Amino acid sequence: MIPDWKIVQDYFEILEFPELKGIIFMQTACQAVQHQRGRRQYNKLRNLLKDARHDCILFANEFQQYCYLPREQGESMEKWQTRSIYNAAVWYYHHCQDRMPIIMVTEDEEAVQQYGGETGGVFVISFKNYLDNFWPDLKAAHELCHSILQSRRERESESQESHRKEYPEHLPLEVLEAGIKSGRYIQGILKVNKHRAQIEAFVRLQGASSKDSGLVSDILIHGMKARNRSIHGDMVVVELLPKNEWKGRTAALCENDSDDKASGESPSEPMPTGRVVGILQKNWRDYVVTFPSKEEVQSQGKNAQKILVTPWDYRIPKIRISTQQAEALQDFRVVVRIDSWESTSVYPNGHFVRVLGRIGDLEGEIATILVENSISVAPFSEAQMCEMPVNTPENPWKVSPEEEQERKDLRKTHLVFSIDPKGCEDVDDTLSVRTLNNGNLELGVHIADVTHFVAPNSYLDIEARTRATTYYLADRRYDMLPSILSADLCSLLGGVDRYAVSVMWELDKTSYEIKKVWYGRTIIRSAYKLFYEAAQELLDGNFNIVDDIPEFRDLNEKSRQAKLEELVWAVGKLTDIARHVRAKRHGALELEGVEVRVQLDEKKNICDLIPKQPLEVHETVAECMILANHWVAKKIWESFPHQALLRQHPPPHQEFFSELRECAKAKGFFIDTRSNKTLADSLDNANDPNDPIVNRLLRSMATQAMSNALYFSTGSCAEEEFRHYGLALDKYTHFTSPIRRYSDIIVHRLLMAAISKDKKMESKENLFSNKDLEELCRHINNRNRAAQHSQKQSTELFQCMYFKDKDQETEDRCISDGIIYSVRTNGVLVFIPRFGIKGAAYLKNKDGLVISCGPDSRSEWKPGSLQRFQNKITSTTTGGESVTFHLFDHITVRISVQASRCHSDTIRLEIISNKPYMTPDTELFHQSSLLLKSDLVKEVTRSVEEAQLAQEVKVNVIQEDYQKYCQTKGRSLYTLLEEIRDLALLDVSDSHGI
């Protein structure tokens, strides 16, 4: 089957069905998708072609002598494209010696009439006829086809009826490109402010535009007309308006666009303002939407088929679709896809794709988060699982004699052990330290050898590359690799033989200076599977913890004592080495990251909580991993200077630190941001002995000022740009977590190729070129951002579900202490340590009333005004009463949930007192806060289960899928520490319209 260009554009989600295999995509059709449907759909098409499960191919018909057809004078582009694809189909039929019938599917009725009977053996039919004749039982495809056809017919009908243009036409591509080259136009990515989606968007400059325009800030796009049918994420071309038409961004907090008017706040200083004149690349994707309520549907009339649906993402405009099922779907989250946005239409047109689940249902809301972040988590296929080794009681996996010959065997020579959270089963890193015969020390980091089991370009490798990472949500995780690897054969569990890739350093016995380093494949048997708290107790000399370490239980007293002394020495020596290693990294930053990390067991109860104050043993493990990542980065770059995968973190722009400096100044601290060393030292010194949360918030602000660390190919930029600012290292990569990161799999293959190169052996590894590696890095970076967003959104979902059914007037847990960490023109941003929540608290409501606090410090709303200063804001009533809120003030807030039918629910904070929330016992409060986090997820889960029982929902299918799709075992805390260090964290303040 060969699809015409229009079929590839309009019916692509049907072509993605696993049943449709062996499709031949012509180059002409693929280029049409790239130019007309944008980067996202074009990348989906490329991924489909790369996926061996679909067995599809690309034929470069325009570069084949007998297939290429020049475009005739006066011939439209569309007619030429269809003619070219048909001509290639005919050639292919003859190339197969007329033995294999060819079906070309098209929606061009003239082409069906013209070419349908022209060549015997080449059948030209409509896509609907193709499905009817060849896939009559593929019900989902038929329904989707009907939806797309109906949507297109109505669009064509409307375009004939409507002559009024709602938007100006986009300029032709050649005009846009010439304008960008001359400097008249500027290109960039459109970013819509979700809190003012109707009026405020910004264009972030890209490419030559950022260097040649002379602009240092984003360009403001004010209003929907100026946006000219572009959607959040589109690559647009902008024309700057005259300076007298420039506008400023609004400095007020707001929940929606109308709040700006209600607050009466003036915008900030005017900034470059422009209008969109064209779109270079559309960013259209699947969108989760909500149908209008029953009353809204009925108001449109009984026969209404054109419905405006509201996307879950505030930044996306309403989408018009055709359906007769609006009333039946009004309680569900539904996926739609945008087809077009004509200049005559106020809204884009789209079509229905599928139903996700009921609004408010936990599984439906999780599915929404996954779709919104373009995360696909289908079960691993049979073909992928067939590539996996077997490890059953009847047929246990064993080390092969061939591998014993090729690998260094550490099982009898090294004390290897792991340190992880309690219950962790995906152990991808272990450590060792020992004294050598010459008196020096040997430090070893041993990482699971995933690449031994995952061959390049195998079915599993392609799937892991597509996923790129393991996705951690609040109550579950979706693995990059099947559990036979992630939780078994690639997990370095205690007491079993495992393959590893090791880095071992010889260190001077006193100075710990590195004398030499060895890289290679090994066989290990971990002696102990320690949990963090146990390792810390051993480090502190509290040996009572030994009873909680399983490996000691069956030993006699003499063996127990000897082995304990050996282990205590190893943990102590590792910690001492880690202190020295860290001291050498001058300027490494300790930054505050996301507060709440919910980890649950298989019954959805919390099995691990990240401590607020990391233990020293956390630092020990982290330093060893960072050391391994650094040395592997140096090794692969030396061997492959133009095609090594490294991780860079550029220094931030100094202007991004202005809020941090001002906030610190309010507390009497000076933050020197000239270098990472001065910033690290300043943050270490910015400690308020009476309020430790101040330092945490300052570190959080420093994190927000940073750009994200990114993967890159070394052939794509100069060596001086390799540096990792946050870790104060000249070269860095990710090597230590190949179970959950595809980047580490690539790095392992590069390291193996480098070792082969040193031995002058032919490499077995199939390495990426610089161009291909750079493209892969972009994909991995994109998937990492999706993982961060989905994790943050799922945590917020659980927080909202927990507070949603609480009576905020009587429930103690809804009242909490908060600390002000930012001041805006109509309110403040507040951090609640008890729950790790950050949110906006308004000082002026929608009625124009301001907050007032009486003699008892209780708040109420009264007529008045607000006056904002640098580090404080004062509310003054018309009666002369005033109250001032300063940065870092502790206040009492009430937590409630702002419910939304169409969007995600949000936490709402209300100031009820300008005094700190008083608790009987501060220490008891801190203990209870951990319990409360546990209660949060347990209670939400219990409520969901009760609701399912009340509705008599059969949950067996869900539970079976749950076992297939996800695991919820403990996660290495090193993961979190490294993420914080790499600064790959979300700007949490972005959620509050900053």
Side-chain angles (χ1 to χ4, degrees), residues 6-17 20 25 33 37 40-49 127 144 148 337 351:
K6 190 71 173 168
I7 299 295
V8 181
Q9 281 191 19
D10 292 350
Y11 295 92
F12 183 73
E13 57 263 56
I14 300 179
L15 300 179
E16 289 180 300
F17 276 44
L20 273 63
F25 290 92
V33 170
R37 282 301 165 92
R40 189 178 291 271
Q41 186 164 331
Y42 180 63
N43 286 340
K44 279 190 170 186
L45 175 56
R46 294 185 64 189
N47 290 334
L48 179 70
L49 286 162
F127 195 56
L144 201 48
I148 295 168
R337 189 170 288 184
H351 65 268

Side-chain angles (χ1 to χ4, degrees), residues 92-108:
Y92 189 73
Y93 174 67
H94 294 318
H95 175 72
C96 296
Q97 299 181 352
D98 299 356
R99 293 180 182 176
M100 183 180 292
I102 301 293
I103 301 166
M104 175 181 167
V105 290
T106 180
E107 290 302 287
D108 185 338

Side-chain angles (χ1 to χ4, degrees), residues 10-11 143-159 305-306 319-323 337-340 348-352:
D10 292 350
Y11 295 92
E143 291 175 352
L144 201 48
C145 181
H146 175 74
S147 172
I148 295 168
L149 279 171
Q150 186 180 16
S151 175
R152 182 195 294 160
R153 289 190 192 109
E154 294 192 357
R155 286 202 312 274
E156 290 170 353
S157 173
E158 285 171 10
S159 64
Q305 292 184 339
K306 299 170 190 173
I319 302 168
R320 187 171 53 178
I321 69 168
S322 299
T323 181
R337 189 170 288 184
I338 294 177
D339 298 316
S340 66
N349 299 296
H351 65 268
F352 166 88

Side-chain angles (χ1 to χ4, degrees), residues 350-380:
H351 65 268
F352 166 88
V353 177
R354 68 183 186 276
V355 175
L356 285 183
R358 284 188 176 275
I359 297 170
D361 174 69
L362 178 60
E363 294 303 318
E365 296 300 322
I366 290 291
T368 295
I369 290 171
L370 295 177
V371 170
E372 282 295 319
N373 290 285
S374 301
I375 296 173
S376 176
V377 286
F380 293 101

Side-chain angles (χ1 to χ4, degrees), residues 785-993:
R785 280 190 293 270
Q788 292 164 4
H789 283 122
S790 60
Q791 185 178 46
K792 178 174 180 283
Q793 288 163 355
S794 69
T795 300
E796 290 169 349
L797 169 65
F798 264 80
Q799 288 171 340
C800 288
M801 293 183 81
Y802 175 71
F803 287 107
K804 195 167 188 177
D805 298 324
K806 299 285 184 292
D807 185 338
Q808 54 180 296
E809 299 298 331
T810 60
E811 178 64 58
D812 287 342
R813 295 177 186 179
C814 293
I815 310 297
S816 191
D817 187 64
I819 182 170
I820 297 171
Y821 70 91
S822 189
V823 176
R824 293 294 182 262
T825 54
N826 64 335
V828 292
L829 296 181
V830 179
F831 172 58
I832 302 175
R834 186 177 183 184
F835 296 107
I837 291 172
K838 290 184 176 182
Y842 292 87
L843 303 183
K844 177 183 277 191
N845 66 16
K846 293 180 180 180
D847 298 324
L849 304 177
V850 298
I851 200 166
S852 171
C853 295
D856 61 351
S857 301
R858 308 301 290 179
S859 67
E860 56 182 317
W861 297 103
K862 294 183 179 180
S865 61
L866 298 177
Q867 188 173 8
R868 178 193 174 189
F869 302 92
Q870 184 67 53
N871 299 313
K872 62 182 180 180
I873 184 169
T874 299
S875 172
T876 307
T877 67
T878 53
E881 304 164 355
S882 70
V883 59
T884 300
F885 296 89
H886 298 81
L887 267 179
F888 302 115
D889 276 356
H890 282 257
I891 56 177
T892 302
V893 295
R894 178 183 287 118
I895 306 169
S896 60
V897 175
Q898 184 81 39
S900 173
R901 183 173 163 274
C902 298
H903 311 285
S904 62
D905 293 344
T906 53
I907 292 290
R908 183 168 173 265
L909 303 181
E910 180 186 356
I911 299 173
I912 60 174
S913 171
N914 62 343
K915 301 296 182 186
Y917 179 59
M918 302 304 294
T919 55
D921 188 332
T922 305
E923 187 176 343
L924 183 64
F925 162 72
H926 285 302
Q927 291 173 357
S928 68
S929 69
L930 294 179
L931 295 174
L932 287 169
K933 291 177 188 176
S934 177
D935 288 346
L936 185 150
V937 180
K938 284 181 182 177
E939 189 160 329
V940 169
T941 305
R942 187 168 60 249
S943 298
V944 170
E945 289 170 352
E946 288 172 357
Q948 288 175 333
L949 288 172
Q951 297 170 21
E952 297 183 349
V953 176
K954 294 182 180 178
V955 296
N956 291 338
V957 175
I958 293 174
Q959 290 172 344
E960 287 171 13
D961 285 349
Y962 190 79
Q963 295 298 323
K964 273 187 184 178
Y965 286 97
C966 54
Q967 302 168 353
T968 54
K969 284 123 184 145
R971 179 185 178 198
S972 167
L973 184 59
Y974 163 65
T975 298
L976 178 63
L977 291 172
E978 191 175 57
E979 284 176 4
I980 293 172
R981 291 171 182 281
D982 283 353
L983 312 172
L985 296 170
L986 296 174
D987 181 350
V988 291
S989 61
D990 184 54
S991 302
H992 312 300

